[in-house]
Amino acid sequence: MDAIIQVGIAFALWFQGLGGWLETPLKAFTFLGSEEFFLLALPIIYWCIDARIGLRMGIILLLNGALNSVLKLAFFGPRPYWVNPQVKALVSETSFGVPSGHAQMAAGLWGMLASQIKRPWAWGAAIFLALMIGLSRLYLGVHFLHDVLLGWLLGALVLWTLLKLWDSTAAWVQTKSTGQQAGLAFLLSVLMLVAGAIAFGSARNTLLPPEWTANALAAGAHEMPEPLTLNSVITSAGTLFGLLAGLAWMQPRGGFDAGGTLDKRVLRFIVGLVGVAILWYGLGAIFPRNEELVSYVLRYLRYTLIGGWISAGGPWVFIRMKLANSNRPKTR
């Protein structure tokens, strides 16, 4: 493993040695693979363009997020600048490095969008974006080459699995009652949490090398390594439960049509974003943020509410405000 790390260090130093002119465009590409970008873009798709596509992209985002967080804890892999301060920390990360979350999310999400557009140009664009987002992580000094390769592989595998199983699984779920659907969503969420807890328990038994923090500081990082946390797993698990439970509640009420005039779509996004901000920032300011059990439970609750607002709360408000229609057939 040390030999692989040294190859990754050499590649990072060579890549960064090509010049600082690459920093700005590659930071732009890395943003297109970030959680912040997807949390902004996915509500636009779900509320304002196509709820069906938005749901698929939301689910693949959350499944990839949970899997990536669990594997980061399991593999206990460093970032390049944690190992060698000669690698510049052009951006800072606090979590473990392997596999690359940006590469995994990019392969899964952009691939899912391309699969729904069903055009050769869409697949070409998805592959190009996934490639550039992965390369950006190498240049910025936050990932080794093997981190990115594994991220691409996992993202493609999750995408292939979802595309293969989506129709049959959706048909099976629709035979269940609303309560049963919510229960299945909660069970999936719990399985994600259990996997995270097992990986977290294993990682806690291994000491974090003190030189990682020293090297990160010397490399110019603004944030120090703090990888021993369950926050990311809890975020994905809670949001997925809320999203699926909200969808189960909304479907018997006619669902939600993301069509309409441009002004209604814009207003939906504004109203919906206000709701997300209240739950995200408002509850985030009230609830404690540490590594205690109570904080974890409250974090799970907060993100469950956010997921439920996206799939059900927001659409219900849009329909009540006459900014959207349900998919329920109109009776004469």
Side-chain angles (χ1 to χ4, degrees):
M1 188 65 187
D2 186 62
I4 295 175
I5 287 179
Q6 292 309 314
V7 168
I9 292 290
F11 183 84
L13 291 172
W14 170 81
F15 202 179
Q16 290 187 344
L18 295 178
W21 62 276
L22 286 169
E23 183 174 347
T24 298
L26 290 183
K27 279 186 175 179
F29 276 111
T30 216
F31 177 70
L32 295 179
S34 67
E35 182 178 293
E36 291 79 6
F37 172 76
F38 290 127
L39 287 176
L40 180 65
L42 288 178
I44 294 177
I45 296 174
Y46 189 86
W47 290 332
C48 308
I49 299 176
D50 190 313
R52 182 182 63 86
I53 294 177
L55 175 65
R56 291 182 179 229
M57 294 185 71
I59 288 176
I60 198 172
L61 168 69
L62 297 169
L63 290 177
N64 267 318
L67 177 61
N68 185 265
S69 299
V70 170
L71 291 178
K72 281 185 188 301
L73 289 168
F75 289 142
F76 206 89
R79 306 276 179 172
Y81 67 89
W82 296 3
V83 177
N84 189 326
Q86 291 181 338
V87 178
K88 298 175 185 176
L90 299 178
V91 296
S92 300
E93 300 286 356
T94 61
S95 64
F96 290 120
V98 56
S100 166
H102 279 68
Q104 187 175 339
M105 300 295 182
L109 271 158
W110 292 113
M112 178 61 80
L113 183 58
S115 75
Q116 301 306 298
I117 295 175
K118 299 178 181 179
R119 295 288 188 275
W121 66 263
W123 280 109
I127 292 170
F128 172 75
L129 284 170
L131 177 65
M132 293 307 299
I133 289 167
L135 289 176
S136 75
R137 305 303 284 170
L138 299 173
Y139 179 84
L140 296 173
V142 290
H143 280 299
F144 293 100
L145 185 58
H146 65 275
D147 299 350
V148 171
L149 292 174
L150 182 57
W152 281 333
L153 177 62
L154 289 170
L157 181 61
V158 173
L159 172 64
W160 179 84
T161 303
L162 276 183
L163 291 177
K164 197 77 173 175
L165 300 178
W166 185 277
D167 290 339
S168 59
T169 302
W172 176 74
V173 169
Q174 287 171 6
T175 65
K176 308 299 180 183
S177 68
T178 299
Q180 289 173 329
Q181 290 181 32
L184 288 170
F186 182 66
L187 177 60
L188 177 59
S189 175
V190 169
L191 290 175
M192 294 162 67
L193 293 173
V194 169
I198 293 171
F200 178 73
S202 177
R204 288 193 68 179
N205 294 327
T206 306
L207 293 177
L208 199 68
E211 59 268 22
W212 285 2
T213 299
N215 289 337
L217 186 62
H222 299 295
E223 295 180 291
M224 296 300 104
E226 295 181 15
L228 296 176
T229 178
L230 277 172
N231 282 338
S232 294
V233 178
I234 292 170
T235 295
S236 296
T239 306
L240 183 63
F241 171 51
L243 188 76
L244 294 178
L247 184 69
W249 179 85
M250 196 68 188
Q251 286 302 314
R253 290 160 178 79
F256 162 69
D257 182 0
T261 60
L262 179 60
D263 59 328
K264 287 186 176 181
R265 295 179 194 229
V266 171
L267 285 172
R268 285 203 300 262
F269 180 67
I270 293 172
V271 171
L273 207 59
V274 169
V276 170
I278 291 172
L279 295 172
W280 194 0
Y281 292 107
L283 294 183
I286 298 171
F287 291 171
R289 298 190 184 192
N290 51 49
E291 305 305 318
E292 301 295 332
L293 179 60
V294 171
S295 297
Y296 283 153
V297 171
L298 292 176
R299 185 181 187 88
Y300 182 86
L301 173 62
R302 177 160 63 112
Y303 280 93
T304 295
L305 292 173
I306 291 172
W309 169 259
I310 291 172
S311 64
W316 182 82
V317 170
F318 303 154
I319 293 170
R320 298 286 291 183
M321 294 178 66
K322 302 190 183 304
L323 297 176
N325 298 315
S326 73
N327 288 320
R328 190 192 303 275
K330 294 181 180 179
T331 57
R332 295 181 180 272

